[in-house]
Amino acid sequence: AAAVQETATMSAIPGLPARGSDVTVLVTRVHLHPLCELVAFWGKLSQQRSTDYEILADEIQSHGALFKDLEGNPGDQCLVHIDTTWYRARIVSRNGTKCSVFLIDRGMTYTGTTSKLAWGKKEHFLLPPEVELCVLANVLPLSSENRWSPVALEFLKSFTGKLMDAHVQDVLVPDRMILLNIPCISKQMYEMGFAKKLSPATFQDFLHTSLKSISGAEALTEVQQLYLGSGERLQKQELFMYPELPGGTVETVIVTEVTNPQQIFCQLKVFSHELKKLTEKVTQSCEGKVSSCMISPDMIGYPCAARGRDGRWYRSVIQQVFPTNKVVEVLNVDYGTKQFVQVENVKRLAAEFTRMPVVTYVCSLHGILDKKVGWTTSEIDFLKSLLLHKTVIAKVEYRSISDQVYYVTLYGDDNINMNSLFGSKENCFPKYEKTLGDYALPSGVYTQQHPAQPERKMLSSQPSVEDIPAEDLVTNSSHLAVVHHVSSPSEFWIQTENYRKELEEMLDAMYHLYQDSANTHMLINPSLGLYCAAQAQDGEFYRATVTEVGETQIKVFFVDYGNTEVIDGSKIRTLPAEFRKMPQLGLKCSLAGVRPKDGRWSQNALEYFIKTVTDKELLVHVKGRYSDSYVVQLTNPEAQTEQDVNTQMCTNGFGERTEIPREPTVKGAMKPSVVSSAPFTDGALPQVCKDIGISFRPAFGLLSNERKISTFKEQMFPIGSVLDVNVSCIESPNDFWCQLVQNAGSLRLLMHDIQAYYANSEFEPNVDAACVARHPENGMWYRALVIRKHETSQVDVLFVDYGQTKTVSLFDLRKISPEFLALHGQAFRCSLLNLISSTSAINEWNYKAKERFQNFVENAASNFIILKCTIYAVMHSEQMVLHNIVDLETPFESICNTLASLITSIPPKKTSGPSFRLDTYYYSTHNIKTGTEEQVTVAFVNSVSDFYCHLDKNADVMKDLTMRVNTLCQQLERVKVPAVFGTLCFARYTDGQWYRAQIKATRPKLLVHFVDYGETLQVDKSDLLPVPKEANDIMSVPVQAVVCALSDVPTDVPSEVNEWFEKTATECQFRALIVAREADGKLLVELYHGNTQINAKIKKTFQIEKQEEQVVCQSWKPHQVPATHAPKTERTFSNRAMDSKDYEQPCKKSNFSTTKAPCQTKLDGKSMDENLRSAVKSTTQKHRPAPRELYKPPSQRQPNRTLTNDGSEEASGQLRPRKVKTERFISESSGTESQEETPAEKLPKLIDLPSKCITPGTAVDVYVSHCDSPLSLFVQHVSEEDDLFSLVEKLNNPDSTSKASPIKDVHPGDLVKAEFTDDSSWYRAVVKETLENARALVEFIDFGNTAVMPISKMEQLPKSLLLFPVYSTHCMLKDAVVLGEEKAFEPHVVSAFKEDIGSCGDKVLKCQFIKQVGSVWEVTLEDGGLDIGCKVSTDGSDFNPEKLVNEQQVQHFDKSLGYPYQKEIQEGQQLEVYIATINEDQTFWCQSADSQELCMITSAVSEVENAADQNINPDALYLGMPCVALFADDQLWYRAEVVDKNDNELSVLFVDYGNNSQANITDIRVVPPALLEVPPQAFLCELEGFDASHGSWRDGAADELSSLTADKLLQITVTRV
């Protein structure tokens, strides 16, 4: 109530989320009150503000003035001091010096004195509360008592510390209460059967009514009180957060602890280093504390810090408290180790240490069955040898919500399956049943379970009792017994009088044995599960098993009494064989028909039960057994009043009946007829069962009445669904039942509750067809459906969760409680797909086929292989029996493929008769594999996450199908067939044609789904025709519309995105890369139109980002891209495929094989071609970090050759072929590794290409594709552009690329296919010169630019591509010829000329061919009617007109040498560096600290000093030229680059250090070839926040930076590039 009063006054504090918004909530504490139906919890909604709250928590430790005696009134904001920490609070109530305050950031109240309060600053209360009171919306208990069951309570508490995606359904401002709809919780609650679903309006009405009740408000907002004692008390306000690992996650883990195969602790390796550092911090914190710690038995589960055996302190939780010994059992959450520690070695864990999530998970080996009787020492030792402290790969198969355990498959070195390795060891496969084994049906079941065991079972719940059986009590028998140990009325241990004499004799013998030989029979290093004798607190020895081993103390379970003690290791002894002959006498029991009233036994109930049963000889009547426990009725013969203890518990208000017993109306009701336990075969199932089968909505009840009949929900799956299943029951390949693996946990919980609920139930009349039935063979209770009533008092029932049919006594039926109807029937009926005749539902399988199918299922179960079940169709019989037509697969085999040869001929009556009718058309995978590409056409779009495609390879199938459907429908129209419809039909579309369809709804509108196109439309009934049974050929054609979704694009995109995608993509062709297949058969794809990735374009255009699941480490669940998607280099002709804009209006033609002329598609005011051409310039600068002013990019340099970032070289300033449109995904590999060696084939020459005839005087429109100077430029004819596009597309066709032959050697003049490095696309090229290191200089003949590249980047040119002429023409400007070479090559002349002609073909120019000089055409160029000429400076300098055009003092190749680009540095990258040079322009040069190349460079350049032949010809110098220069200050040689020239004085930049210097031309040398391969070692940087945009440095700033950084190893983080 205090919290409600408090929250009502807090509306002034901001921070409440908006109604209808989506939030992420961290559940800090779940609050469940027995008297309240609402699920309330406290949660953090502002995850992004966690840093603000941490800062605030530190600030408020500096509190204001302490409260004086009379200060403080209810409603005042203040700070409260609890233990050693101050918290924000508000006063709720006050009584003198005592007051109650509400901790607004913790969601709980604290009662103390005003001496603990202080005033805070106003700004301390500006932040809203860190936690908010939330209510789980739309769920209430399903039980009639409106109380949560114990299972529900445990389930809900498990979400503490978890991050949840939630929807804000409403915000109750007066109460500051937020209604959150959390589907991931509520859905599971519905499916698990303990919650009912309410509409939002109904739930909010209920909530408002509840809040009007004071008791309801108290129950909802009850908060945990904190009381202080003399010492420091542990608190549970800070809980650990356990991020969830989704199924399918694969992580590298370290196995930190191995208890048994069902409890293995796996730590995420990526966090191992952080955990070590955290442990050191915890140790430092705890070693400094001297305060004691108060611990009480109610603190189980509390976080703490515990001192380990190694002296370090670890994050832990309390497991058990033993007050007598002052010992606490703790679990180290980060390593999984348990240990017993003294109280003084437990301290409170500071809140700061709970912020890092727990990333060590409790795991169970998937497929290794729980033996129930424990594991032997040798088995556990073997498992430890395999896993303990090893680094392995863990694949999460699924997570058990009830057990909080992850079921994993572990892989060791060489991908060895460790689960299989352990399981295959002799006697390591369990001999008992699996998780659901307790409920396994005795026959006809082929799951991962072994046949039911004999009635005699081991009933101890302890880890190991070796091979000693427990005393066996027969159902319905009675025994005198004593209760020796009580945990609760649902868990206590009895000892019968049956072995009293033998037990006394054994204990007497043990006493004399161990008393007379005190120093013998000692046990050294006892192991878990060891059977021994242990000395209890009373000094006597008893039989026991070791359950946990500490450093000096051992935890033992006394098997004859049921209690557990921690004893010193010296107090256990070996147990001779004669003491092992007697069975265990401590039998675990629970009261029959009684359950706690509030979901959990109260302390009063526990005390009453202990008082009632302790030290009394009771009569125990065994009502049944469940798992390891007997369900019993206790009677006290000596009681003066009520003798039945079960009844006493209920009448005194400590418990309630699970079912009110009634007198049986039929004699002999509890004497069920027992059916033969012969194997479940066809003969064992009455024919009527085969005919009726099962629909989970029965058409009849056993007795007529007007009340609502209970029904089971039936599982239905869309075709194409791929499910993980176990086969639970087999009759034949035509008729078998499967269960979903993912629902195993829910079924186990359901079976657990059913056994407890019906343990002492009695027969009642008027049982519905949907009921609970006792199995005639194992006596357990199962959900069942009555399918036939015999004339005798027997019925045939189908166990809906397993698929088995049995005949049972009518008196073994029980009415089913509504809460047990919530979970769908877990078994669904299947028939194998007939690959030969897919329309046949019933196939004649021969004996070999049946045997092969059964072996297939059994082998999968025995090898723990989960079967993949693909739903291909759904059929119904005339009796409405549903059959899923399926294929079952393991990773190695498809059973349908295996059995295809074993199907015998099928009689026409069975295939074409009316016994079965398709409910769906057939699904097909169309042989689509993940990671492959398909050519598709988008047929219909609902959204980016739901659209339908046609496969181009199925075009003929679609054409033929359409023709056959229309032909048949025309015949049906003429004969006027009766309008009797199933779900399948033919429907007339708006174009007047008939298509296959499926009726989706008949009311209020008739809706049909055109299955081969994906569209759903409203039609008139006159536009429908039924599908005749003779149309098998049409029905057998699988659905042609493949449902898809764009991968990595959110499903909830804005409507304009879906509208754009629908308008743009419909009826267009794409290349689809298959990224993944979802469970419902939907394909996740990446679509490519030409070079453009549609997924990326959508995200870029609409600024959409895929929201990853919020976990601690985003890399836990990385997007796994198939191998075929590995190439990341964008093979496009724009900057990057992601950035291209060439898909604004995709064409609606049938294909894209012929690309539209770029000039026809406008982009941002330019033609597409202009856009692509302009990209050439910008890409040039992408390979060097800016600003690197002295390193001029190639486009700004003289026409000479530089090296690219991968070691290949480019031969001029503009080195990129002109961009053209082509496919994106082309195989990266040239195939050199897979191609067989073939004899060298003579390569073609340029002369082999068709010649292009140009008549002098001809004037044509051209683009300039490449330009070195006015004396050397290349032009392309605009009229030949489409032909050029076609050529480039053929060169980059994936088929031709993968089949091309590699080249081992080339010679000048060879014509080859070469891969251009910058865009990774292929072009025709001619070899100009061969170089060292298997490289060659090539010219791209259709564009004119040159590059030096490895021969490995060349392939033979297909002969078909020799039919295309050369598309670039080498030209020289007429004015430049007159001007002469010296003037024509001047930088300002070249720069002005390039500006006039446009950058890389931006302009369409008029070119007139004057004459041909050798291979070069002399031309004139016009732009808009104006001549383009050479612009010469007017400084009076003259030139020599006699110089010939073809005279060149320096070879072109010599000019083009340059250093390779540095390794690209990425944003966010961290580097260790030294600062080499600091400039005055706010920049500085860094060298990588781990560079191995600097010493090699220094050694190599020192050898050039005396090499006379390495001097450089002064006439050959040019700006940007690499060289080796002498640094005057130290007279040493360094690599450099010429940046300026003034007569014989040069200005050089030392590229490995970043400093500039002057050098005489005589102090310059040629760079050794080896050093041209090494990139510059210095890279230019500037400080973030100190660039030119923020101002300039003051004088002396550079010196100050130098003094701070000189010769120091620095770590830098790259924020921008």
Side-chain angles (χ1 to χ4, degrees), residues 500-787:
R500 171 182 284 188
K501 183 178 179 180
E502 292 87 341
L503 177 61
E504 290 176 352
E505 292 175 353
M506 182 183 71
L507 292 177
D508 186 62
M510 292 173 65
Y511 170 78
H512 290 290
L513 174 66
Y514 300 122
Q515 185 186 47
D516 297 340
S517 53
N519 296 322
T520 59
H521 304 286
M522 296 292 292
L523 269 175
I524 306 299
N525 297 324
S527 58
L528 293 179
L530 181 67
Y531 206 73
C532 64
Q535 190 175 24
Q537 292 181 9
D538 62 2
E540 300 294 331
F541 281 92
Y542 303 92
R543 298 192 302 173
T545 57
V546 177
T547 59
E548 292 185 31
V549 178
E551 187 171 2
T552 59
Q553 295 180 310
I554 296 171
K555 184 178 179 180
V556 295
F557 171 72
F558 294 103
V559 297
D560 297 317
Y561 296 88
N563 60 311
T564 300
E565 287 187 13
V566 176
I567 63 175
D568 190 87
S570 62
K571 294 183 178 181
I572 64 171
R573 303 286 188 272
T574 60
L575 193 70
E578 61 266 23
F579 297 152
R580 304 189 186 202
K581 296 177 181 179
M582 187 187 305
Q584 297 177 70
L585 303 182
L587 305 179
K588 185 178 175 182
C589 300
S590 65
L591 281 185
V594 182
R595 64 184 177 191
K597 296 185 65 175
D598 302 322
R600 186 169 61 180
W601 294 106
S602 66
Q603 185 64 28
N604 290 338
L606 180 58
E607 291 174 357
Y608 178 82
F609 179 70
I610 293 174
K611 180 180 178 181
T612 303
V613 301
T614 303
D615 299 328
K616 294 181 175 63
E617 190 173 69
L618 304 174
L619 182 64
V620 177
H621 182 72
V622 181
K623 308 287 284 188
R625 71 173 70 196
Y626 161 65
S627 186
D628 59 350
S629 177
Y630 287 106
V631 181
V632 300
Q633 180 179 3
L634 298 181
T635 305
N636 182 3
E638 298 179 359
Q640 298 298 319
T641 55
E642 177 60 57
Q643 297 183 339
D644 188 341
V645 176
N646 303 50
T647 303
Q648 288 182 48
M649 293 294 293
C650 296
T651 55
N652 289 311
F654 297 116
E656 58 188 9
R657 290 284 185 185
T658 56
E659 183 177 0
I660 300 175
R662 299 183 182 180
E663 292 297 323
T665 57
V666 181
K667 291 184 179 180
M670 296 308 293
K671 298 179 181 178
S673 301
V674 178
V675 183
S676 170
S677 59
F680 188 53
T681 62
D682 288 343
L685 182 66
Q687 186 61 42
V688 67
C689 296
K690 294 183 179 178
D691 293 340
I692 295 177
I694 176 175
S695 170
F696 288 169
R697 291 171 175 77
F700 66 94
L702 277 105
L703 297 175
S704 61
N705 53 66
E706 296 181 358
R707 59 190 174 83
K708 183 179 178 181
I709 297 177
S710 301
T711 58
F712 294 111
K713 300 175 185 176
E714 194 168 10
Q715 294 190 101
M716 300 288 289
F717 308 103
I719 61 171
S721 298
V722 181
L723 314 169
D724 288 343
V725 302
N726 288 322
V727 177
S728 58
C729 181
I730 300 174
E731 283 197 60
S732 74
N734 282 334
D735 193 5
F736 58 94
W737 297 77
C738 293
Q739 297 170 323
L740 292 180
V741 170
Q742 71 185 48
N743 290 349
S746 299
L747 179 57
R748 184 164 62 87
L749 289 173
L750 174 72
M751 292 298 297
H752 176 285
D753 291 343
I754 286 177
Q755 305 313 307
Y757 192 91
Y758 293 98
N760 66 336
S761 62
E762 298 182 3
F763 175 75
E764 297 180 53
N766 302 327
V767 177
D768 286 335
C771 61
V772 171
R774 194 202 314 261
H775 197 279
E777 295 172 22
N778 66 8
M780 300 193 72
W781 297 97
Y782 298 86
R783 298 196 299 173
L785 182 71
V786 178
I787 56 177

Side-chain angles (χ1 to χ4, degrees), residues 35 59 1129:
L35 301 178
E59 290 177 350
T1129 304

Side-chain angles (χ1 to χ4, degrees), residues 120 221 324 385 591 689 768 781 878 959 993 1117 1208 1239 1279 1295 1525 1545:
T221 59
T324 305
S385 69
L591 281 185
C689 296
D768 286 335
W781 297 97
E878 288 181 333
K959 183 178 179 181
Q993 298 292 310
K1117 194 178 180 184
S1208 63
S1279 60
D1295 292 336
E1545 287 295 321

Side-chain angles (χ1 to χ4, degrees), residues 1471-1474 1487-1493 1609:
L1471 304 169
E1472 289 188 338
V1473 302
Y1474 293 100
Q1487 294 173 330
S1488 176
D1490 59 357
S1491 174
Q1492 304 296 318
E1493 298 172 325
L1609 179 64

Side-chain angles (χ1 to χ4, degrees), residues 262 365-370 375 397-398 408-409 411 417-425 428-435 447-450 725-726 741 856-867 890-892:
Q262 276 70 48
L365 294 185
H366 180 59
I368 303 299
L369 305 183
D370 186 356
W375 299 86
E397 305 294 348
Y398 63 94
V408 300
T409 301
Y411 297 91
N417 187 317
M418 307 303 282
N419 300 40
S420 300
L421 184 59
F422 174 73
S424 61
K425 187 177 184 293
C428 276
F429 274 123
K431 301 175 182 178
Y432 296 87
E433 299 163 348
K434 200 188 169 186
T435 308
T447 63
Q448 293 179 13
Q449 304 161 351
H450 292 277
V725 302
N726 288 322
V741 170
F856 171 81
V857 173
E858 289 179 338
N859 289 338
S862 62
N863 292 317
F864 312 109
I865 298 173
I866 294 177
L867 298 173
T890 68
F892 320 104

Side-chain angles (χ1 to χ4, degrees), residues 902-967:
L902 301 178
I903 302 176
T904 59
S905 59
I906 304 164
K909 290 182 180 179
K910 292 194 176 182
T911 58
S912 60
S915 58
F916 277 86
R917 187 179 187 90
L918 275 172
D919 238 16
T920 65
Y921 293 98
Y922 274 89
Y923 165 78
S924 173
T925 63
H926 298 288
N927 201 29
I928 297 174
K929 304 294 184 183
T930 301
T932 62
E933 288 186 1
E934 295 284 347
Q935 297 292 332
V936 302
T937 300
V938 175
F940 181 75
V941 174
N942 285 319
S943 67
V944 293
S945 58
D946 186 36
F947 59 93
Y948 295 82
C949 293
H950 286 157
L951 300 172
D952 289 4
K953 66 185 180 182
N954 288 349
D956 291 340
V957 176
M958 279 291 295
K959 183 178 179 181
D960 179 66
L961 177 64
T962 303
M963 182 185 67
R964 284 194 288 163
V965 168
N966 278 277
T967 301

